Amino acid sequence: MNLFDVIIIAAAALGISFGAFSYWQQKLAQHHLGEREKEINRRVYELAILKELSERVGYSLNIQQVIDIITGSLHQFIQYRAVSYMLVEPEKIVFKIHLEESVHRRFIDDVRQRMAGSLSALLGRDIKDNQIDEIITGAILIEDIAEPVRSFFNIPIVIGDKVQGVLTVAHTEAGLYKEEEMTILYRIMRQASSAITKLQEVVKNEERKLNAMVQSIREGVIMTDQDYRVSVVNQAAKD
């Protein structure tokens, strides 16, 4: 092999190495660009949902309505077969699950059981199955789909330092949920909880003012809510 052949081989090897390096650099840039785009999409979603929550929570103390706003838009940044929540009501536990894709009945039962266990632990008391009212929306159940729950995480719903329920996303694929998605959802829930808590404090302050005014009235006064449950009774009415 003469010097010219060696130079040709070296140049070819250098060209191949440069091409491989360029290809690797291009793939790395595409990866970073894709990750950056995902992050931007997540931030846009977070800002949009926080804006919507601030507008709607401003006049509503209905926790279920607020959670419905959140669950109704989660598909914009996170994959799931099902998104669900359990909320503690005065006389029952509301379990609402929305199916983005069809699943087997056992999938729903598994999600429900896990959520009930988590909520029981948070509340420090057992939740009986007959206390739970179930609502299913979205895709239909297909008994031939036997895939189990493989990805799953819960987020507590806390209003004014009091546990009101849990929010859950679940999927049949394993290892699906990463820290980024969970962090965004935690921030959204914290913002919603804070907004409702502040509104509840305003309502309580107004109730205290109303009670003080009613107590000062010489005539007997009895006030009820829309379900005819007594909410205010002054001393004159008691006497």
Side-chain angles (χ1 to χ4, degrees), residues 69-114:
I69 296 171
I70 297 173
T71 58
S73 58
L74 282 182
H75 64 277
Q76 297 181 46
F77 89 104
I78 191 170
Q79 297 180 21
Y80 55 81
R81 277 289 179 93
V83 57
S84 53
Y85 58 79
M86 272 191 180
L87 286 178
V88 179
E89 298 287 343
E91 299 176 356
K92 61 184 178 180
I93 304 291
V94 175
F95 169 59
K96 184 175 181 179
I97 181 167
H98 176 77
L99 304 178
E100 192 71 14
E101 302 176 42
S102 293
V103 296
H104 193 278
R105 176 68 218 189
R106 285 194 298 274
F107 181 98
I108 294 177
D109 291 341
D110 188 7
V111 170
R112 174 172 166 159
Q113 184 177 6
R114 294 188 192 203

Side-chain angles (χ1 to χ4, degrees), residues 29-42 180:
Q30 289 176 348
H31 173 73
H32 287 320
L33 186 61
E35 290 299 312
R36 179 62 179 165
E37 185 177 356
K38 288 180 181 179
E39 177 62 22
I40 291 173
N41 289 337
R42 284 195 289 262
E180 293 85 357

Side-chain angles (χ1 to χ4, degrees), residues 110-236:
D110 188 7
V111 170
R112 174 172 166 159
Q113 184 177 6
R114 294 188 192 203
M115 293 181 71
S118 297
L119 188 56
S120 294
L122 290 168
L123 295 174
R125 61 179 173 86
D126 291 335
I127 295 176
K128 296 181 174 59
D129 196 61
N130 59 8
Q131 293 177 289
I132 301 175
D133 279 4
E134 183 176 281
I135 304 169
I136 302 175
T137 62
I140 62 172
L141 296 179
I142 298 179
E143 296 305 312
D144 292 337
I145 300 176
E147 294 180 278
V149 176
R150 295 189 179 94
S151 291
F152 177 96
F153 75 89
N154 279 324
I155 293 180
I157 301 171
V158 181
I159 309 295
D161 297 326
K162 183 179 180 181
V163 175
Q164 298 285 352
V166 289
L167 174 66
T168 299
V169 290
H171 208 291
T172 55
E173 294 183 24
L176 192 61
Y177 302 126
K178 303 298 188 293
E179 183 178 354
E180 293 85 357
E181 289 86 357
M182 288 186 283
T183 299
I184 290 176
L185 201 47
Y186 271 110
R187 282 202 297 259
I188 291 169
M189 282 305 310
R190 188 167 61 247
Q191 178 76 9
S193 299
S194 176
I196 295 175
T197 300
K198 290 177 181 177
L199 186 56
Q200 285 180 338
E201 291 173 356
V202 171
V203 172
K204 287 178 181 178
N205 286 333
E206 293 302 315
E207 287 178 347
R208 281 193 287 267
K209 293 178 184 178
L210 177 62
N211 285 335
M213 182 183 70
V214 170
Q215 293 300 332
S216 67
I217 297 175
R218 298 177 61 180
E219 291 78 12
V221 177
I222 299 175
M223 301 178 68
T224 68
D225 60 18
Q226 61 185 3
D227 296 319
Y228 300 102
R229 290 176 296 203
V230 175
S231 56
V232 176
V233 179
N234 70 351
Q235 189 60 45

